[in-house]
Every structure is written in C-alpha cells, then in structure tokens.
Amino acid sequence: MRRNAGLFVAISLLSGFGSSAMSLVAGIWILDLTGSTSLAALAGLCVYAPVLAGPWLGGLLDRAPRRPLVIAVNLLLAAALSALLAVRGPGQTWLIFTVSCAYGVSYVLIDAGETALLPAALAPTELGHVNGWRSSAQEGMKLVAPLAGAGLYAWRGGHAVALLSAATPVLVALLYAVLRLDRAPIDQPTERGGGPRTGLVVLFGQRATRLPVVLAAVSIAMSGFTTAGIYAVVVTELRLPTTFLGVLASAQGAGSILGGLIVGRLIAARGAGAVGVAGTALFAVGCLARCLPWWPATVVGAVVAGVGLPWTLVAAVTAVQTHTPSALLGRVSATANTAMFGPLVVAIPLGAVAVHLGARPPVIAAAAICLTAVVVATFHRQSAPSDETPTAPAPRRTARGARRGAAARAAPPAGPRPGRAGAGAAGPRVR
C-alpha cells in the first residue's frame, strides 16, 4: 500500500508540474503572438469549460477498462502538446486553443479516473491521507511550476515548455501502468445505460456524499466570487502595490500545503462530513480576516482560507470514493467535479460585477454564504443518525452487485433529487 501511495503522490507532482507550467505559458504565448489580452484570457476558459460535460465524459470510465483509458488519455495529451511545435506565428494560435481544450477534457477524464482507481489501490482507511498528500503535492507545484514555466519560456520559448509539458503525461502514464490494483475488480466494463442521471442519483441520493460535495461546491464557488473583491481590497482599500497579490497567493498556497498534510488524519478521526463543515467555516473566517484594514491580517486570512479549501475538496473526494459502488465511480466522480467546479464559470463574473458595490461587500457576502452553508449542513448532520452511514451499496461489492445497484438507481420511484443547488466538486483540482 505504501508503494501505491507513493506512486499516486508522484503522479500528482508530475501532472501538477506539467499542467501548471503550461496553463500560464499558454496565455503568455497567445498574448505575445496576438497582442490581445482577451484572447489570452480565453485560453483559461478553454481549460475549464469541458468540466461542464463531466457527467457525460465520466460515463466513458464506467464503460471501458479504467486504467488503460487513463493511460491512453495521458498519451494522447502528450501527442496534443507535441503539436504545439507547429506554432510559428499568429496564424497557428488556434493550435494553442485546441490544446487548451484537450487539457480540459483530459482533466475531467483523468481526475475522475484517478478518483475511481484509488479505492482499488488503497485501503479505505488510507484514502483520506493519500488524497491530502496529493492535494499538498499539487499546491506545491502551483508555487513552483508557473515560475519555472515562465522562466523556460523567456529563455527558450514556447516550444521548450510544450516539450517539457508533453514529457510529464508520458511519465504519468508509466506510473499508472505499474500501480497494483488488487482490491476490487474495477477494470471490468459495466453495462451501458443509466447515463448522467445515474451519477446524479448516486451522488445526491445519500447524505454521506451529498453534504461534503455541496460544501466543497459552495467554498470553491465563493473562492472565485471573491477574486475581484480581494484584488480591490489590496489595491484600493489597503493601497498596496499589485505585487502584494503575489504574497497573498503564496500565503494561500502555503496554507493549502499545510491543510493537505493534516486533512487525512482529521477525516479518519472525525469523518468527511465534519471535515467539510470545518473547511467551509475556515474559508469563511479567512474571507472575513482579509476584510480587516491591516495587511498582516490579510496575509493570515489567506493562510486560513488556504487551509480550509483543500479540506472541503479532499473531504468531498474521499466521501465519493468511500460511498460509491466501484462500477459507478467514473461517472459519479466526474459528476462531482462538474458540481464543484462548474459554478466557478458563473461565480467569477458575478464577483467582477459585485465589486462595483465596493471592495469588501463581495468578500463579506461570500463569508456569509459559507457560514450559512455550515449552519445548514450542521443541522442536517445532527438530524440524522450518522452522516457517514452510506445509503447506497458500499464500494467493496462485486461488479455484478454494483451493476444491480446501478440499475435500481437508474429508475428510482421519486426520481433524482433536484440538482445544482446540491452539487459540488473541486476548485484547485486534486490530480
């Protein structure tokens, strides 16, 4: 098990380095080629837009052998990145957009695939720990990789960054190939049918997954909603230079690394639901601290918010892995990702509009929304015998039993629970 845990952390380090380096350089490259900041910003939209198709893409993981599919996606991503070597001028800018879209599709498939593979490689008691370590690894790469990518771009140009980023998914594919998956027969294809609706029913049909995913969705959406407000607090209210935003980003990254290292123990001791509540509350406290008219408090608030966000994300991912039948983990994981990250598409522009009311009102509103979610989640947890008790079959069932469970859920008497208000998946991705 320690071998598999180390391999998953190494996968997160490699994939986090390659994707973080390329995500920054793609925008810089487009800006240099076209001189258009709006076109450069569209590269990021291309990466995140495919998450909205998560429930449909996740079904592929339940209809095909998962490990071969994840390996194939990584190799295809490497091939797509290699195509950037053909970029010579503004006329080939479309290639960068195409590769950005390919990155987005691969994120959905690989994130869901890795979430589905983890329970087959690790004991249930290890899932929270390894998910936390993976989160810390990815956050660490977000501090290092953009600087390394930008430096390499300045030194050798975009082609060098493309080659480096293309090498990482090849190495990741090799690491996937040597994993030992012997805890569940998840590599067997399942029956067709059910579609996205099955993922929604399983995800939101049980309290043990519904509450952590909703809390993660709220926290991640509010992290996007407060972006413009925090910029305004630093520049307008505190009258600090824009470079101070880099200090806040590093402080939040440091908090995320710390939070990822300890979240596994908390989940083992208190359960995913309780950790999700605590993470959302911490993020709200961090928002309020960043509203104080004193720059050290803003830095402390960034660290606190950085601890809280990965707690909500890791709690949600661990709950999905623990309480979802193995035959359905692909579509349920992808649906959870859509629920958690999809609201960012709306939250970020709404925050950009809300900042016209003032720098602090959007940040205070985000804290209030998070605290409201905490109160509601706490009430629901206390009103149930145990929020950690699954109402769906446990993931250790056989593939045949899981398929029977899927068929039963595909046609529930009352239909699936109403959707997006109870959705959730993750902001900085656990990959």
Side-chain angles (χ1 to χ4, degrees), residues 205-256:
Q206 52 184 343
R207 186 187 305 268
T209 54
R210 183 172 63 250
L211 285 180
V213 168
V214 170
L215 289 168
V218 171
S219 300
I220 292 168
M222 290 303 100
S223 72
F225 182 78
T226 57
T227 299
I230 291 171
Y231 286 178
V233 166
V234 169
V235 176
T236 305
E237 302 295 330
L238 297 178
R239 300 186 183 279
L240 295 170
T242 55
T243 52
F244 187 75
L245 293 168
V247 175
L248 293 185
S250 297
Q252 183 165 332
S256 295

Side-chain angles (χ1 to χ4, degrees), residues 251-281:
Q252 183 165 332
S256 295
I257 293 172
L258 174 62
L261 291 175
I262 63 178
V263 67
R265 294 182 181 179
L266 293 175
I267 291 175
R270 307 297 299 178
V275 173
V277 168
T280 304

Side-chain angles (χ1 to χ4, degrees), residues 46-66 69-70 73 76 100-114 116 190 192-200 327-339 420 429:
C46 290
V47 171
Y48 282 101
V51 75
L52 298 176
W56 290 269
L57 292 173
L60 296 175
L61 291 160
D62 293 332
R63 293 178 172 87
R66 289 171 182 159
L69 180 60
V70 171
V73 170
L76 289 172
S100 295
C101 288
Y103 246 125
V105 173
S106 73
Y107 279 152
V108 175
L109 290 172
I110 294 173
D111 284 356
E114 189 167 307
T190 62
R192 295 180 181 274
R197 184 170 179 266
T198 302
L200 287 168
L328 301 176
L329 263 173
R331 73 193 77 179
V332 174
S333 299
T335 301
N337 280 336
T338 298
R420 296 288 178 186
R429 301 163 181 266

Side-chain angles (χ1 to χ4, degrees), residues 15 36-37 88 127 170 191 198 208 228 257 271 294 299 303 311 317 345 367 369 375-376 401 407:
S15 60
S36 171
T37 54
R88 300 295 177 184
L127 289 174
V170 174
E191 294 176 357
T198 302
I257 293 172
W294 189 43
V299 175
V303 174
W311 282 14
V317 171
V345 178
I369 291 171
V375 172
V376 172

Side-chain angles (χ1 to χ4, degrees), residues 146-190:
L147 180 62
L152 182 59
Y153 178 84
W155 179 40
R156 302 297 296 177
H159 295 155
V161 181
L163 284 175
L164 176 63
S165 297
T168 55
V170 174
L171 295 174
V172 167
L174 292 175
L175 294 180
Y176 277 124
V178 299
L179 283 171
R180 294 173 181 169
L181 305 179
D182 55 3
R183 298 193 62 84
I186 64 169
D187 280 344
Q188 298 179 5
T190 62

